[in-house]
Every structure is written in C-alpha cells, then in structure tokens.
C-alpha cells in the first residue's frame, strides 16, 4: 500500500512539473516570423511615399536596404550614396540609427536620395508580406516600399 501511494505521489509530481514547462506565446512567434522575413535579404525600393522610383537596371546604388540579423546593422544605398547604420526591430517596430553615408557627386536631377534619407529618418514601424516590405511612420503612413527579388534563406 505504501509503495502505491509513493508511486502515485511521484507520478503526480512529474505531471505537475511537466505542466509548468513554458511555451512561446503567440506574440513571440509572430515577432520571430516578422524578423525572419525582414532580415538577411535584399530589399529594393519601389516607392517613396506614393511615388514610384524609376531606376535603370544597370544603375549603380539603386535605393535598397539589407538588415543583418547577427550584427543588427542596416546597409544599402539611397540612389546615389552607400548608407549604413544600426537598427532595433520588434514585432512591428523598427528604429533606425542616424544613417552614415558616402558623399558622392550625383549628377542626376531625378535622384531620389534626399527623399529616401528623409523618409528613413521618420521610420517607426514595418510590415512584411511575402516579398513586400513597407516602412511606416509612427502614424502608420507608408514612407517607403520595397520588394525582394528572392525568398529568404
């Protein structure tokens, strides 16, 4: 009889401790999924606000961004210069540091670099849907839109 009570006690304790195991919350799962889609891929800018960006496929420094998951660094181009900085991303939030860049002389009057950099300075949120990335201001207005030519790794 004592052996049965002892066995039931141990079994009950094991079940109770197993029930205490933590599982990731739905919020953490969504955040991870969003970050996986955002990071470690190239994003080519297609729009600044509602204006489409027209660039020749052979152009140098096409407006683009890449977010490195390991170093938390962002790099890319603004249409004229190479740019770089750091970032912090959450479930749908994105904070970019002040971006540093090269200072090349760009002779193209249609160059979107000033508008691109001004939009980057206002970024507060992001949305990723498949191959589309939208960078939003704190009110939810689309500042920049990107496309990714390849699927994430």
């Amino acid at each position: 009889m004592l052996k049965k009570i002892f066995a039931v006690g141990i079994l009950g304790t094991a079940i109770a401790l197993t029930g205490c195991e933590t599982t990731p919350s739905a919020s953490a799962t969504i955040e991870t999924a969003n970050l996986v889609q955002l990071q470690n891929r190239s994003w080519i800018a297609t729009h600044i606000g509602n204006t489409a960006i027209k660039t020749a496929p052979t152009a140098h420094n096409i407006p683009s961004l890449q977010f490195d998951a390991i170093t938390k660094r962002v790099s890319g181009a603004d249409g004229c210069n190479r740019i770089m900085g750091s970032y912090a991303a959450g479930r749908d939030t994105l904070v970019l540091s002040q971006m540093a860049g090269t200072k090349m002389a760009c002779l193209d009057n249609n160059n979107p670099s000033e508008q691109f950099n001004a939009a980057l300075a206002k970024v507060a949120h992001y949305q990723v849907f498949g191959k589309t990335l939208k960078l939003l201001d704190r009110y939810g207005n689309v500042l920049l839109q990107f496309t990714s030519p390849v699927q994430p790794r």
Side-chain angles (χ1 to χ4, degrees), residues 128-140:
V128 183
F129 301 106
K131 293 183 177 184
T132 302
L133 167 66
K134 294 180 180 180
L135 299 183
L136 314 167
D137 66 12
R138 64 183 179 160
Y139 303 109

PDB file of all heavy atoms in Angstrom, residues 128-140:
ATOM      1  N   VAL A 128       5.839  43.296 -43.272  1.00  0.00           N
ATOM      2  CA  VAL A 128       6.395  42.411 -44.283  1.00  0.00           C
ATOM      3  C   VAL A 128       5.309  41.442 -44.711  1.00  0.00           C
ATOM      4  O   VAL A 128       4.695  40.787 -43.873  1.00  0.00           O
ATOM      5  CB  VAL A 128       7.604  41.615 -43.739  1.00  0.00           C
ATOM      6  CG1 VAL A 128       8.205  40.753 -44.830  1.00  0.00           C
ATOM      7  CG2 VAL A 128       8.656  42.531 -43.164  1.00  0.00           C
ATOM      8  N   PHE A 129       5.065  41.388 -46.005  1.00  0.00           N
ATOM      9  CA  PHE A 129       4.117  40.439 -46.590  1.00  0.00           C
ATOM     10  C   PHE A 129       4.808  39.779 -47.766  1.00  0.00           C
ATOM     11  O   PHE A 129       4.907  40.385 -48.828  1.00  0.00           O
ATOM     12  CB  PHE A 129       2.836  41.140 -47.062  1.00  0.00           C
ATOM     13  CG  PHE A 129       2.101  41.859 -45.973  1.00  0.00           C
ATOM     14  CD1 PHE A 129       2.128  43.238 -45.903  1.00  0.00           C
ATOM     15  CD2 PHE A 129       1.398  41.154 -45.010  1.00  0.00           C
ATOM     16  CE1 PHE A 129       1.453  43.908 -44.900  1.00  0.00           C
ATOM     17  CE2 PHE A 129       0.724  41.822 -44.001  1.00  0.00           C
ATOM     18  CZ  PHE A 129       0.755  43.199 -43.954  1.00  0.00           C
ATOM     19  N   GLY A 130       5.316  38.560 -47.563  1.00  0.00           N
ATOM     20  CA  GLY A 130       5.991  37.844 -48.649  1.00  0.00           C
ATOM     21  C   GLY A 130       7.199  38.607 -49.141  1.00  0.00           C
ATOM     22  O   GLY A 130       8.159  38.800 -48.426  1.00  0.00           O
ATOM     23  N   LYS A 131       7.130  39.084 -50.381  1.00  0.00           N
ATOM     24  CA  LYS A 131       8.252  39.795 -50.997  1.00  0.00           C
ATOM     25  C   LYS A 131       8.118  41.310 -50.915  1.00  0.00           C
ATOM     26  O   LYS A 131       8.830  42.030 -51.598  1.00  0.00           O
ATOM     27  CB  LYS A 131       8.378  39.387 -52.467  1.00  0.00           C
ATOM     28  CG  LYS A 131       8.781  37.948 -52.671  1.00  0.00           C
ATOM     29  CD  LYS A 131       8.937  37.672 -54.153  1.00  0.00           C
ATOM     30  CE  LYS A 131       9.411  36.256 -54.375  1.00  0.00           C
ATOM     31  NZ  LYS A 131       9.652  36.002 -55.800  1.00  0.00           N
ATOM     32  N   THR A 132       7.198  41.817 -50.085  1.00  0.00           N
ATOM     33  CA  THR A 132       6.976  43.261 -49.967  1.00  0.00           C
ATOM     34  C   THR A 132       7.256  43.732 -48.546  1.00  0.00           C
ATOM     35  O   THR A 132       6.779  43.144 -47.587  1.00  0.00           O
ATOM     36  CB  THR A 132       5.526  43.627 -50.348  1.00  0.00           C
ATOM     37  OG1 THR A 132       5.272  43.189 -51.685  1.00  0.00           O
ATOM     38  CG2 THR A 132       5.296  45.123 -50.253  1.00  0.00           C
ATOM     39  N   LEU A 133       8.037  44.788 -48.424  1.00  0.00           N
ATOM     40  CA  LEU A 133       8.338  45.430 -47.154  1.00  0.00           C
ATOM     41  C   LEU A 133       7.847  46.866 -47.226  1.00  0.00           C
ATOM     42  O   LEU A 133       8.118  47.573 -48.202  1.00  0.00           O
ATOM     43  CB  LEU A 133       9.852  45.424 -46.887  1.00  0.00           C
ATOM     44  CG  LEU A 133      10.359  46.313 -45.750  1.00  0.00           C
ATOM     45  CD1 LEU A 133       9.841  45.824 -44.397  1.00  0.00           C
ATOM     46  CD2 LEU A 133      11.877  46.383 -45.753  1.00  0.00           C
ATOM     47  N   LYS A 134       7.113  47.280 -46.201  1.00  0.00           N
ATOM     48  CA  LYS A 134       6.672  48.672 -46.088  1.00  0.00           C
ATOM     49  C   LYS A 134       7.252  49.242 -44.801  1.00  0.00           C
ATOM     50  O   LYS A 134       7.114  48.644 -43.739  1.00  0.00           O
ATOM     51  CB  LYS A 134       5.152  48.770 -46.063  1.00  0.00           C
ATOM     52  CG  LYS A 134       4.494  48.356 -47.358  1.00  0.00           C
ATOM     53  CD  LYS A 134       2.996  48.478 -47.296  1.00  0.00           C
ATOM     54  CE  LYS A 134       2.372  48.047 -48.617  1.00  0.00           C
ATOM     55  NZ  LYS A 134       0.916  48.162 -48.583  1.00  0.00           N
ATOM     56  N   LEU A 135       7.898  50.397 -44.914  1.00  0.00           N
ATOM     57  CA  LEU A 135       8.384  51.127 -43.747  1.00  0.00           C
ATOM     58  C   LEU A 135       7.402  52.256 -43.494  1.00  0.00           C
ATOM     59  O   LEU A 135       7.081  53.035 -44.402  1.00  0.00           O
ATOM     60  CB  LEU A 135       9.791  51.657 -43.993  1.00  0.00           C
ATOM     61  CG  LEU A 135      10.861  50.586 -44.274  1.00  0.00           C
ATOM     62  CD1 LEU A 135      12.239  51.232 -44.419  1.00  0.00           C
ATOM     63  CD2 LEU A 135      10.885  49.523 -43.197  1.00  0.00           C
ATOM     64  N   LEU A 136       6.937  52.343 -42.248  1.00  0.00           N
ATOM     65  CA  LEU A 136       5.860  53.259 -41.883  1.00  0.00           C
ATOM     66  C   LEU A 136       6.323  54.276 -40.854  1.00  0.00           C
ATOM     67  O   LEU A 136       7.232  54.004 -40.054  1.00  0.00           O
ATOM     68  CB  LEU A 136       4.687  52.461 -41.300  1.00  0.00           C
ATOM     69  CG  LEU A 136       4.261  51.208 -42.062  1.00  0.00           C
ATOM     70  CD1 LEU A 136       3.326  50.364 -41.226  1.00  0.00           C
ATOM     71  CD2 LEU A 136       3.616  51.585 -43.363  1.00  0.00           C
ATOM     72  N   ASP A 137       5.650  55.423 -40.825  1.00  0.00           N
ATOM     73  CA  ASP A 137       5.917  56.401 -39.771  1.00  0.00           C
ATOM     74  C   ASP A 137       5.120  56.014 -38.524  1.00  0.00           C
ATOM     75  O   ASP A 137       4.406  55.010 -38.522  1.00  0.00           O
ATOM     76  CB  ASP A 137       5.620  57.832 -40.237  1.00  0.00           C
ATOM     77  CG  ASP A 137       4.160  58.111 -40.526  1.00  0.00           C
ATOM     78  OD1 ASP A 137       3.281  57.281 -40.169  1.00  0.00           O
ATOM     79  OD2 ASP A 137       3.871  59.170 -41.119  1.00  0.00           O
ATOM     80  N   ARG A 138       5.181  56.819 -37.485  1.00  0.00           N
ATOM     81  CA  ARG A 138       4.516  56.469 -36.224  1.00  0.00           C
ATOM     82  C   ARG A 138       2.998  56.500 -36.327  1.00  0.00           C
ATOM     83  O   ARG A 138       2.308  55.977 -35.468  1.00  0.00           O
ATOM     84  CB  ARG A 138       5.008  57.363 -35.092  1.00  0.00           C
ATOM     85  CG  ARG A 138       4.679  58.816 -35.268  1.00  0.00           C
ATOM     86  CD  ARG A 138       5.270  59.627 -34.153  1.00  0.00           C
ATOM     87  NE  ARG A 138       4.960  61.042 -34.359  1.00  0.00           N
ATOM     88  CZ  ARG A 138       4.995  61.927 -33.425  1.00  0.00           C
ATOM     89  NH1 ARG A 138       5.348  61.578 -32.202  1.00  0.00           N
ATOM     90  NH2 ARG A 138       4.711  63.179 -33.680  1.00  0.00           N
ATOM     91  N   TYR A 139       2.467  57.096 -37.391  1.00  0.00           N
ATOM     92  CA  TYR A 139       1.021  57.149 -37.587  1.00  0.00           C
ATOM     93  C   TYR A 139       0.511  56.038 -38.511  1.00  0.00           C
ATOM     94  O   TYR A 139      -0.674  55.947 -38.778  1.00  0.00           O
ATOM     95  CB  TYR A 139       0.613  58.511 -38.165  1.00  0.00           C
ATOM     96  CG  TYR A 139       1.053  59.664 -37.303  1.00  0.00           C
ATOM     97  CD1 TYR A 139       2.080  60.505 -37.717  1.00  0.00           C
ATOM     98  CD2 TYR A 139       0.468  59.895 -36.067  1.00  0.00           C
ATOM     99  CE1 TYR A 139       2.509  61.560 -36.920  1.00  0.00           C
ATOM    100  CE2 TYR A 139       0.884  60.954 -35.262  1.00  0.00           C
ATOM    101  CZ  TYR A 139       1.904  61.776 -35.692  1.00  0.00           C
ATOM    102  OH  TYR A 139       2.333  62.813 -34.903  1.00  0.00           O
ATOM    103  N   GLY A 140       1.423  55.233 -39.045  1.00  0.00           N
ATOM    104  CA  GLY A 140       1.039  54.143 -39.938  1.00  0.00           C
ATOM    105  C   GLY A 140       1.036  54.512 -41.411  1.00  0.00           C
ATOM    106  O   GLY A 140       0.595  53.719 -42.243  1.00  0.00           O
TER     107      GLY A 140
END
